[in-house]
Structure formats: structure tokens, C-alpha cells
Coordinates of all heavy atoms in Angstrom, one line a residue:
M190 N -17.8 16.4 32.7 CA -16.8 16.2 31.5 C -17.7 16.0 30.2 O -18.6 15.3 30.1 CB -15.9 15.1 31.9 CG -14.8 14.9 30.9 SD -13.7 13.7 31.2 CE -12.8 14.5 32.4
T191 N -17.2 16.7 29.2 CA -17.9 16.7 28.0 C -17.3 15.6 27.0 O -16.2 15.2 27.3 CB -17.8 18.0 27.2 OG1 -16.5 18.3 26.8 CG2 -18.4 19.2 28.1
V192 N -18.0 15.3 26.0 CA -17.4 14.4 24.9 C -16.1 15.0 24.4 O -15.1 14.2 24.2 CB -18.4 14.2 23.9 CG1 -17.7 13.2 22.7 CG2 -19.6 13.6 24.4
R193 N -16.1 16.2 24.1 CA -14.8 16.9 23.7 C -13.7 16.6 24.8 O -12.6 16.3 24.3 CB -15.0 18.3 23.4 CG -13.8 19.1 23.0 CD -14.1 20.7 22.8 NE -13.1 21.4 22.4 CZ -12.0 21.8 22.9 NH1 -12.0 21.5 24.2 NH2 -11.2 22.5 22.4
D194 N -14.0 16.8 25.9 CA -13.0 16.5 27.0 C -12.5 15.2 27.0 O -11.2 14.9 27.1 CB -13.3 16.9 28.4 CG -13.7 18.4 28.5 OD1 -13.3 19.3 27.7 OD2 -14.7 18.7 29.4
L195 N -13.4 14.3 26.9 CA -13.0 12.9 26.8 C -12.1 12.5 25.6 O -11.1 11.8 25.6 CB -14.1 11.9 26.8 CG -14.9 11.9 28.0 CD1 -16.1 11.0 28.0 CD2 -14.0 11.1 29.2
F196 N -12.5 13.0 24.4 CA -11.7 12.8 23.1 C -10.3 13.4 23.4 O -9.4 12.8 22.9 CB -12.6 13.5 22.0 CG -11.9 13.2 20.6 CD1 -11.2 12.1 20.3 CD2 -11.9 14.2 19.8 CE1 -10.6 11.7 19.1 CE2 -11.5 14.0 18.4 CZ -10.8 12.8 18.2
L197 N -10.2 14.6 24.0 CA -9.0 15.3 24.1 C -8.1 14.3 25.1 O -6.8 14.1 24.8 CB -9.1 16.6 24.9 CG -7.9 17.5 25.1 CD1 -7.1 17.8 23.8 CD2 -8.3 18.7 25.9
R198 N -8.5 13.8 26.0 CA -7.8 12.9 26.9 C -7.4 11.7 26.2 O -6.3 11.2 26.4 CB -8.6 12.5 28.1 CG -8.9 13.9 29.1 CD -9.7 13.4 30.3 NE -8.8 13.6 31.4 CZ -9.0 13.1 32.5 NH1 -10.2 12.5 32.8 NH2 -8.1 13.2 33.5
Q199 N -8.3 11.2 25.3 CA -7.8 10.0 24.6 C -6.7 10.3 23.7 O -5.8 9.5 23.5 CB -9.1 9.4 23.7 CG -10.0 8.8 24.7 CD -11.4 8.5 23.9 OE1 -11.7 9.2 22.9 NE2 -12.1 7.5 24.3
L200 N -6.8 11.5 23.0 CA -5.7 11.8 22.0 C -4.4 11.9 22.8 O -3.3 11.7 22.2 CB -6.0 13.2 21.4 CG -7.2 13.1 20.3 CD1 -7.6 14.5 19.8 CD2 -6.7 12.4 19.1
L201 N -4.3 12.4 24.0 CA -3.2 12.6 24.7 C -2.4 11.3 25.1 O -1.2 11.3 25.5 CB -3.4 13.5 26.0 CG -3.9 14.8 25.9 CD1 -4.2 15.6 27.1 CD2 -2.6 15.7 25.2
H202 N -3.1 10.1 24.9 CA -2.4 8.9 25.1 C -1.6 8.4 24.0 O -1.0 7.3 24.0 CB -3.5 7.8 25.7 CG -3.9 8.1 27.0 ND1 -3.2 7.8 28.1 CD2 -4.9 8.8 27.5 CE1 -3.9 8.1 29.2 NE2 -5.0 8.9 28.9
I203 N -1.8 9.0 22.8 CA -1.1 8.6 21.6 C 0.3 9.1 21.6 O 0.8 10.2 22.0 CB -1.7 9.3 20.4 CG1 -3.2 8.7 20.3 CG2 -1.0 9.0 19.2 CD1 -4.1 9.5 19.3
R204 N 1.3 8.2 21.5 CA 2.7 8.4 21.4 C 3.0 9.6 20.4 O 2.4 9.5 19.2 CB 3.6 7.2 21.2 CG 5.0 7.5 21.3 CD 5.8 6.2 21.0 NE 5.9 6.1 19.5 CZ 5.9 5.0 18.9 NH1 5.6 3.9 19.6 NH2 5.9 4.8 17.6
G205 N 3.7 10.6 20.7 CA 4.1 11.6 19.9 C 3.1 12.8 19.9 O 3.3 13.9 19.4
M206 N 1.9 12.7 20.6 CA 0.9 13.6 20.7 C 1.2 14.7 21.9 O 1.5 14.1 23.0 CB -0.5 13.0 20.9 CG -1.6 14.1 21.1 SD -2.0 14.9 19.3 CE -2.5 13.5 18.3
T207 N 1.2 15.9 21.7 CA 1.4 16.8 22.7 C 0.0 17.5 23.1 O -1.1 17.4 22.2 CB 2.3 18.0 22.4 OG1 1.7 18.6 21.2 CG2 3.6 17.4 21.9
A208 N -0.1 18.3 24.1 CA -1.4 18.9 24.4 C -1.8 19.9 23.4 O -2.9 20.0 23.0 CB -1.2 19.6 25.8
D209 N -0.8 20.7 22.8 CA -1.0 21.7 21.8 C -1.6 21.0 20.6 O -2.5 21.5 20.0 CB 0.2 22.5 21.5 CG 0.5 23.3 22.7 OD1 -0.2 23.8 23.4 OD2 1.9 23.7 22.6
K210 N -1.0 19.9 20.2 CA -1.6 19.1 19.0 C -2.9 18.6 19.2 O -3.7 18.5 18.4 CB -0.5 18.1 18.5 CG 0.8 18.6 18.0 CD 1.8 17.5 17.7 CE 3.2 18.0 17.4 NZ 4.1 17.0 17.0
A211 N -3.2 18.1 20.3 CA -4.4 17.5 20.6 C -5.6 18.5 20.6 O -6.7 18.3 20.2 CB -4.4 16.7 21.9
L212 N -5.2 19.8 21.2 CA -6.1 20.8 21.2 C -6.4 21.3 19.8 O -7.6 21.6 19.4 CB -5.6 22.0 22.1 CG -5.7 21.8 23.5 CD1 -4.7 22.8 24.3 CD2 -7.1 21.9 23.9
L213 N -5.4 21.3 18.9 CA -5.7 21.6 17.6 C -6.7 20.7 17.0 O -7.6 21.1 16.2 CB -4.4 21.5 16.7 CG -3.5 22.8 16.6 CD1 -2.2 22.5 15.8 CD2 -4.2 24.0 16.0
I214 N -6.5 19.5 17.2 CA -7.4 18.4 16.7 C -8.9 18.7 17.1 O -9.9 18.6 16.3 CB -7.0 17.0 16.9 CG1 -5.7 16.7 16.1 CG2 -8.1 16.0 16.6 CD1 -5.0 15.4 16.5
V215 N -9.1 18.8 18.4 CA -10.4 18.9 19.0 C -10.9 20.3 18.6 O -12.3 20.4 18.6 CB -10.5 18.5 20.6 CG1 -10.1 17.2 20.8 CG2 -9.7 19.5 21.4
D216 N -10.2 21.2 18.5 CA -10.7 22.5 18.0 C -11.4 22.3 16.5 O -12.5 22.8 16.2 CB -9.8 23.6 17.9 CG -9.3 24.1 19.3 OD1 -10.1 23.9 20.2 OD2 -8.4 24.8 19.2
Q217 N -10.9 21.5 15.7 CA -11.4 21.1 14.3 C -12.4 20.1 14.5 O -13.4 20.2 13.6 CB -10.1 20.9 13.5 CG -10.6 20.5 12.0 CD -10.9 21.9 11.2 OE1 -10.5 22.9 11.7 NE2 -11.8 21.8 10.4
F218 N -12.1 19.1 15.2 CA -13.0 17.9 15.3 C -13.4 17.7 16.8 O -12.6 16.9 17.4 CB -12.3 16.7 14.7 CG -11.9 16.9 13.3 CD1 -10.5 17.0 13.1 CD2 -12.7 17.0 12.3 CE1 -9.9 17.3 11.9 CE2 -12.1 17.3 11.0 CZ -10.9 17.4 10.8
P219 N -14.5 18.2 17.3 CA -14.7 18.2 18.8 C -15.1 16.8 19.3 O -15.0 16.5 20.5 CB -15.8 19.1 18.9 CG -16.4 19.4 17.6 CD -15.3 19.1 16.5
T220 N -15.3 15.8 18.4 CA -15.8 14.5 18.7 C -15.1 13.5 17.8 O -14.6 13.9 16.7 CB -17.2 14.1 18.7 OG1 -17.6 14.2 17.1 CG2 -18.1 15.2 19.4
M221 N -14.8 12.2 18.3 CA -14.3 11.3 17.6 C -15.0 10.9 16.2 O -14.6 10.8 15.2 CB -14.2 10.1 18.4 CG -13.3 8.9 17.7 SD -13.2 7.5 18.7 CE -12.5 8.1 20.1
H222 N -16.4 11.0 16.4 CA -17.3 10.9 15.2 C -16.9 12.1 14.1 O -17.0 11.6 12.9 CB -18.8 11.0 15.5 CG -19.7 10.6 14.5 ND1 -20.2 11.6 13.6 CD2 -20.1 9.4 14.0 CE1 -20.9 11.1 12.7 NE2 -20.8 9.7 12.9
S223 N -16.8 13.2 14.4 CA -16.5 14.2 13.5 C -15.1 14.0 12.8 O -15.1 14.2 11.5 CB -16.5 15.6 14.1 OG -15.6 15.8 15.1
L224 N -14.3 13.4 13.6 CA -12.9 13.0 12.9 C -13.1 11.9 11.9 O -12.7 11.9 10.9 CB -12.0 12.6 13.9 CG -10.5 12.2 13.4 CD1 -9.9 13.3 12.6 CD2 -9.6 11.8 14.5
W225 N -13.9 10.8 12.4 CA -14.2 9.7 11.4 C -15.0 10.2 10.1 O -14.6 9.7 9.1 CB -15.1 8.8 12.2 CG -14.5 7.9 13.2 CD1 -13.0 7.5 13.1 CD2 -15.1 7.2 14.1 NE1 -12.9 6.7 14.2 CE2 -14.0 6.5 14.8 CE3 -16.3 7.2 14.7 CZ2 -14.2 5.7 16.0 CZ3 -16.5 6.3 15.8 CH2 -15.4 5.6 16.5
S226 N -15.8 11.1 10.4 CA -16.6 11.7 9.2 C -15.7 12.4 8.2 O -15.9 12.3 7.0 CB -17.6 12.6 9.7 OG -18.7 12.0 10.4
N227 N -14.7 13.1 8.8 CA -13.7 13.8 8.0 C -13.0 12.6 7.2 O -12.7 12.9 5.9 CB -12.9 14.7 8.9 CG -11.7 15.4 7.9 OD1 -12.1 16.3 7.2 ND2 -10.6 14.9 8.0
Y228 N -12.5 11.7 7.8 CA -11.6 10.7 7.1 C -12.6 10.1 5.9 O -12.1 9.7 4.9 CB -11.2 9.5 8.1 CG -9.8 9.8 8.8 CD1 -9.7 10.0 10.2 CD2 -8.7 10.0 8.0 CE1 -8.6 10.1 10.8 CE2 -7.6 10.3 8.6 CZ -7.4 10.3 10.0 OH -6.2 10.6 10.6
A229 N -13.8 9.8 6.3 CA -14.7 9.3 5.3 C -14.9 10.0 4.0 O -15.0 9.5 3.0 CB -16.1 9.0 6.0
N230 N -14.7 11.3 4.2 CA -14.9 12.3 3.1 C -13.5 12.4 2.3 O -13.6 13.0 1.0 CB -15.2 13.7 3.6 CG -16.7 13.7 4.0 OD1 -17.5 12.9 3.5 ND2 -17.0 14.4 5.1
L231 N -12.6 11.8 2.7 CA -11.2 11.9 2.0 C -11.2 10.8 0.9 O -11.8 9.8 1.1 CB -9.9 11.8 3.0 CG -9.8 13.0 4.0 CD1 -8.7 12.7 5.0 CD2 -9.6 14.3 3.4
S232 N -10.7 11.2 -0.2 CA -10.8 10.2 -1.4 C -9.9 9.0 -1.4 O -10.2 8.0 -2.0 CB -10.6 10.9 -2.7 OG -9.4 11.6 -2.7
S233 N -8.8 9.1 -0.9 CA -7.8 7.9 -0.9 C -7.1 7.5 0.4 O -7.0 8.4 1.3 CB -6.8 8.4 -2.0 OG -5.8 9.3 -1.4
D234 N -6.5 6.4 0.5 CA -5.9 6.0 1.7 C -4.7 6.9 1.9 O -4.3 7.2 3.1 CB -5.5 4.6 1.7 CG -6.6 3.6 2.0 OD1 -7.7 4.1 2.4 OD2 -6.5 2.4 1.5
K235 N -3.8 7.2 0.9 CA -2.7 8.1 1.0 C -3.1 9.5 1.6 O -2.4 9.9 2.5 CB -2.1 8.3 -0.3 CG -0.8 9.1 -0.3 CD -0.1 9.2 -1.6 CE 1.1 10.1 -1.4 NZ 1.8 10.4 -2.7
E236 N -4.2 10.0 1.1 CA -4.8 11.3 1.6 C -5.0 11.2 3.0 O -4.7 12.1 3.9 CB -5.9 11.8 0.8 CG -6.3 13.3 1.1 CD -7.5 13.6 0.2 OE1 -8.0 12.8 -0.5 OE2 -7.9 14.8 0.3
K237 N -5.6 10.1 3.5 CA -6.0 9.9 4.8 C -4.8 9.7 5.6 O -4.7 10.2 6.8 CB -6.8 8.6 4.9 CG -8.3 8.7 4.4 CD -9.1 7.5 4.3 CE -10.3 7.6 3.7 NZ -11.1 6.4 3.6
R238 N -3.8 9.0 5.2 CA -2.6 8.7 6.0 C -1.9 9.9 6.2 O -1.2 10.2 7.3 CB -1.6 7.7 5.2 CG -2.0 6.3 5.6 CD -0.8 5.4 5.1 NE -0.6 5.5 3.7 CZ -1.1 5.0 2.6 NH1 -2.2 4.3 3.0 NH2 -0.8 5.2 1.4
L239 N -1.8 10.8 5.3 CA -1.0 12.1 5.3 C -1.8 13.4 5.8 O -1.3 14.4 5.8 CB -0.4 12.4 4.0 CG 0.6 11.2 3.6 CD1 1.1 11.5 2.2 CD2 1.8 11.0 4.5
Y240 N -3.0 13.2 6.1 CA -3.9 14.3 6.4 C -3.5 15.3 7.4 O -3.3 16.5 7.2 CB -5.4 13.8 6.8 CG -6.2 15.0 7.2 CD1 -7.0 15.6 6.2 CD2 -6.5 15.5 8.4 CE1 -7.6 16.7 6.3 CE2 -7.4 16.5 8.7 CZ -8.0 17.2 7.6 OH -8.8 18.1 7.8
F241 N -2.8 14.7 8.5 CA -2.3 15.6 9.6 C -0.9 16.0 9.4 O -0.3 16.8 10.2 CB -2.5 14.9 11.0 CG -3.9 14.9 11.4 CD1 -4.7 13.8 11.3 CD2 -4.5 16.0 11.9 CE1 -6.0 13.7 11.8 CE2 -5.9 16.0 12.3 CZ -6.6 14.9 12.3
R242 N -0.2 15.4 8.4 CA 1.3 15.7 8.2 C 1.8 17.1 8.4 O 2.7 17.4 9.1 CB 1.7 15.0 6.9 CG 3.2 15.3 6.7 CD 3.6 14.8 5.3 NE 3.0 15.7 4.3 CZ 2.8 15.4 3.0 NH1 3.5 14.4 2.6 NH2 2.2 16.3 2.3
D243 N 1.0 18.0 7.7 CA 1.5 19.3 7.6 C 0.8 20.3 8.6 O 1.1 21.5 8.6 CB 1.3 19.9 6.2 CG 2.3 19.2 5.2 OD1 3.4 18.9 5.7 OD2 1.9 19.0 4.0
W244 N -0.1 19.8 9.5 CA -0.5 20.6 10.5 C 0.6 21.0 11.4 O 1.4 20.2 11.8 CB -1.6 19.8 11.3 CG -3.0 19.7 10.7 CD1 -3.3 19.4 9.3 CD2 -4.3 19.6 11.3 NE1 -4.5 19.3 9.2 CE2 -5.2 19.4 10.3 CE3 -4.6 19.8 12.7 CZ2 -6.6 19.3 10.6 CZ3 -6.0 19.8 13.0 CH2 -6.9 19.6 11.9
S245 N 0.4 22.2 12.0 CA 1.5 22.5 12.8 C 0.9 23.5 14.0 O -0.2 24.0 13.8 CB 2.6 23.4 12.2 OG 2.1 24.5 11.6
V246 N 1.6 23.5 15.1 CA 1.1 24.3 16.2 C 1.5 25.8 16.0 O 2.8 26.0 15.9 CB 1.7 23.7 17.6 CG1 1.3 24.7 18.8 CG2 1.3 22.3 17.8
S247 N 0.5 26.6 16.0 CA 0.9 28.0 15.8 C 1.7 28.4 14.5 O 2.5 29.2 14.5 CB 1.6 28.6 17.0 OG 0.8 28.5 18.0
G248 N 1.6 27.6 13.4 CA 2.3 27.8 12.2 C 3.7 27.6 12.4 O 4.6 28.0 11.5
D249 N 4.3 27.0 13.4 CA 5.6 26.6 13.7 C 6.1 25.5 13.0 O 5.7 24.4 13.3 CB 5.8 26.5 15.2 CG 7.3 26.4 15.7 OD1 8.2 26.3 14.7 OD2 7.6 26.4 16.9
E250 N 7.0 25.7 12.0 CA 7.5 24.4 11.2 C 8.1 23.5 12.0 O 8.1 22.3 11.7 CB 8.5 25.0 10.1 CG 8.1 25.7 9.0 CD 7.3 24.8 8.1 OE1 7.7 23.7 7.7 OE2 6.0 25.2 7.8
L251 N 8.7 23.7 13.2 CA 9.4 22.7 14.1 C 8.5 22.0 14.8 O 8.7 21.0 15.5 CB 10.4 23.6 15.0 CG 11.6 24.2 14.2 CD1 12.4 24.8 15.2 CD2 12.4 23.2 13.4
R252 N 7.2 22.4 14.9 CA 6.2 21.9 15.7 C 5.1 21.1 14.9 O 3.9 21.0 15.3 CB 5.6 22.7 16.6 CG 6.6 23.3 17.7 CD 6.1 24.2 18.6 NE 5.2 23.5 19.6 CZ 4.4 24.3 20.4 NH1 4.5 25.5 20.5 NH2 3.7 23.6 21.3
K253 N 5.4 20.6 13.7 CA 4.5 20.0 12.8 C 4.2 18.6 13.5 O 5.0 17.9 14.1 CB 5.1 19.8 11.3 CG 5.0 21.0 10.6 CD 5.5 20.6 9.1 CE 5.2 21.7 8.3 NZ 5.6 21.4 6.8
F254 N 3.0 18.1 12.9 CA 2.6 16.8 13.4 C 3.5 15.7 12.7 O 4.0 14.8 13.4 CB 1.2 16.5 12.9 CG 0.0 17.0 13.7 CD1 0.0 18.5 14.0 CD2 -0.9 16.2 14.1 CE1 -1.0 18.9 14.9 CE2 -1.9 16.6 15.0 CZ -1.9 18.1 15.3
G255 N 3.8 15.9 11.4 CA 4.8 15.0 10.8 C 4.1 13.8 10.3 O 3.0 13.4 10.6
P256 N 4.8 13.0 9.5 CA 4.2 11.8 8.8 C 4.0 10.7 9.8 O 3.0 9.9 9.6 CB 5.1 11.5 7.7 CG 6.4 12.1 8.1 CD 6.1 13.4 8.8
A257 N 4.8 10.6 10.7 CA 4.6 9.4 11.7 C 3.4 9.6 12.6 O 2.6 8.6 12.8 CB 5.9 9.3 12.6
L258 N 3.1 10.7 13.0 CA 1.9 10.9 13.9 C 0.8 10.9 13.0 O -0.3 10.3 13.4 CB 2.0 12.3 14.7 CG 0.8 12.6 15.6 CD1 0.6 11.5 16.6 CD2 1.2 13.9 16.3
S259 N 0.7 11.5 11.9 CA -0.3 11.5 10.9 C -0.8 10.0 10.6 O -1.9 9.5 10.5 CB 0.0 12.1 9.6 OG -1.1 12.2 8.8
Q260 N 0.3 9.2 10.3 CA 0.1 7.8 10.0 C -0.5 7.0 11.2 O -1.5 6.3 11.1 CB 1.5 7.0 9.8 CG 1.3 5.6 9.5 CD 0.5 5.1 8.2 OE1 0.6 5.8 7.3 NE2 -0.1 3.9 8.4
R261 N -0.1 7.4 12.5 CA -0.5 6.8 13.7 C -2.1 7.1 13.9 O -2.9 6.4 14.3 CB 0.3 7.2 14.9 CG 0.2 6.4 16.2 CD 1.2 6.7 17.2 NE 2.5 6.4 16.7 CZ 3.4 7.3 16.6 NH1 3.4 8.6 16.9 NH2 4.7 6.8 16.1
L262 N -2.4 8.3 13.6 CA -3.8 8.8 13.7 C -4.6 8.0 12.7 O -5.8 7.5 13.1 CB -3.9 10.3 13.5 CG -3.3 11.1 14.7 CD1 -3.1 12.5 14.3 CD2 -4.3 11.1 15.9
Y263 N -4.1 7.8 11.5 CA -4.9 7.1 10.6 C -5.0 5.7 10.9 O -6.2 5.2 10.8 CB -3.9 7.2 9.3 CG -4.4 6.1 8.2 CD1 -5.6 6.4 7.3 CD2 -3.7 5.0 8.0 CE1 -6.0 5.3 6.5 CE2 -4.2 4.1 7.0 CZ -5.3 4.2 6.3 OH -5.5 3.4 5.3
E264 N -4.1 5.0 11.5 CA -4.3 3.8 11.9 C -5.2 3.5 13.1 O -6.0 2.7 13.2 CB -2.9 3.1 12.3 CG -1.8 3.0 11.2 CD -0.5 2.6 11.6 OE1 -0.2 2.6 12.7 OE2 0.3 2.4 10.7
L265 N -5.2 4.5 14.0 CA -6.2 4.4 15.2 C -7.6 4.7 14.8 O -8.6 4.2 15.4 CB -5.8 5.4 16.2 CG -4.5 5.0 17.0 CD1 -4.0 6.1 17.7 CD2 -4.7 3.8 17.8
F266 N -7.9 5.6 13.8 CA -9.1 6.0 13.6 C -9.8 5.5 12.2 O -10.9 5.8 11.9 CB -9.2 7.6 13.4 CG -9.1 8.0 14.9 CD1 -7.8 8.7 15.2 CD2 -9.9 7.9 16.1 CE1 -7.5 9.3 16.6 CE2 -9.6 8.4 17.2 CZ -8.5 9.0 17.6
C267 N -9.0 4.7 11.5 CA -9.5 4.1 10.3 C -9.4 2.6 10.4 O -8.3 2.1 10.9 CB -8.9 4.6 9.0 SG -9.1 6.3 8.7
D268 N -10.3 1.9 9.8 CA -10.2 0.3 10.0 C -9.9 -0.1 8.5 O -10.8 -0.1 7.6 CB -11.6 -0.1 10.4 CG -11.6 -1.6 10.6 OD1 -10.6 -2.3 10.7 OD2 -12.8 -2.2 10.2
G269 N -8.7 -0.7 8.4 CA -8.4 -1.1 7.1 C -8.4 -0.2 5.9 O -8.6 -0.5 4.8
G270 N -8.2 1.2 6.3 CA -8.2 2.2 5.3 C -9.4 2.9 5.1 O -9.5 3.8 4.3
N271 N -10.5 2.3 5.6 CA -11.9 3.0 5.5 C -12.2 3.5 6.8 O -12.4 2.8 7.7 CB -12.8 1.8 4.9 CG -12.3 1.1 3.8 OD1 -12.1 2.0 2.6 ND2 -12.4 -0.1 3.6
A272 N -12.5 4.8 6.7 CA -13.1 5.5 7.8 C -14.4 4.8 8.2 O -15.3 4.5 7.5 CB -13.2 6.9 7.6
Q273 N -14.7 4.7 9.5 CA -15.8 4.2 10.1 C -16.9 5.2 10.2 O -16.7 6.4 10.4 CB -15.6 3.8 11.5 CG -14.6 2.5 11.6 CD -15.2 1.2 11.0 OE1 -16.5 0.9 11.4 NE2 -14.5 0.5 10.2

């Protein structure tokens, strides 16, 4: 099992996360560290909280991540609003 596989499995335990959405994340960020690094490069907490809001599966408006899941990811992968 690779680090990418483990990260994918971890993402699937998040409420509201589907397999398609988790795959989108690991395609862009294959490790948790790469996701943390991305958050660290964002300039504001608001930008971090809303980063995934408009991501969607296959461009389908009905399958967007939405603000709740985006906020949940921010809370899980950022400590006090600052990416690790």
C-alpha cells in the first residue's frame, strides 16, 4: 500500500466525502504533506476555508464539494487556521 492509498483511505472517513471526491483530492495532492503545503501557500484563512468549495466531480454542478465539506477539510488539515 502506498502513501497515496493510505491518504485516500483517510479521506474516505470524512463525513460528506465520496470516493470520487477523495480521488480528485489525491490526484492533485497525492500525500497529506502536499495538501498541507498547498494550504500554507494560501494567503488567508477565508481562502483556506473555501479552497475546495467549488471543486466538482467531472464538472458536475450537482456534485460540488460545497462549503461544508471545504470547511471540514480546512478544520482537519489546518491547525488554528495555519497550515502545518
Side-chain angles (χ1 to χ4, degrees):
M190 185 170 284
T191 66
V192 173
R193 181 185 184 278
D194 295 336
L195 287 173
F196 185 37
L197 179 64
R198 292 180 112 193
Q199 290 171 330
L200 289 171
L201 289 171
H202 289 279
I203 299 170
R204 190 178 77 222
M206 183 67 67
T207 65
D209 289 336
K210 290 175 182 178
L212 283 169
L213 274 176
I214 292 173
V215 298
D216 284 345
Q217 183 72 31
F218 308 106
T220 66
M221 195 178 301
H222 184 270
S223 63
L224 178 57
W225 283 336
S226 295
N227 180 71
Y228 273 123
N230 290 326
L231 299 175
S232 60
S233 69
D234 284 344
K235 182 179 180 182
E236 189 178 8
K237 292 173 185 178
R238 277 193 303 277
L239 300 176
Y240 182 77
F241 288 102
R242 178 188 63 191
D243 294 324
W244 281 39
S245 64
V246 176
S247 302
D249 185 349
E250 285 291 315
L251 298 175
R252 297 179 70 194
K253 279 189 172 182
F254 279 53
L258 182 56
S259 185
Q260 175 71 28
R261 196 167 294 121
L262 289 164
Y263 165 78
E264 290 170 356
L265 288 170
F266 295 106
C267 293
D268 179 31
N271 297 313
Q273 294 289 314

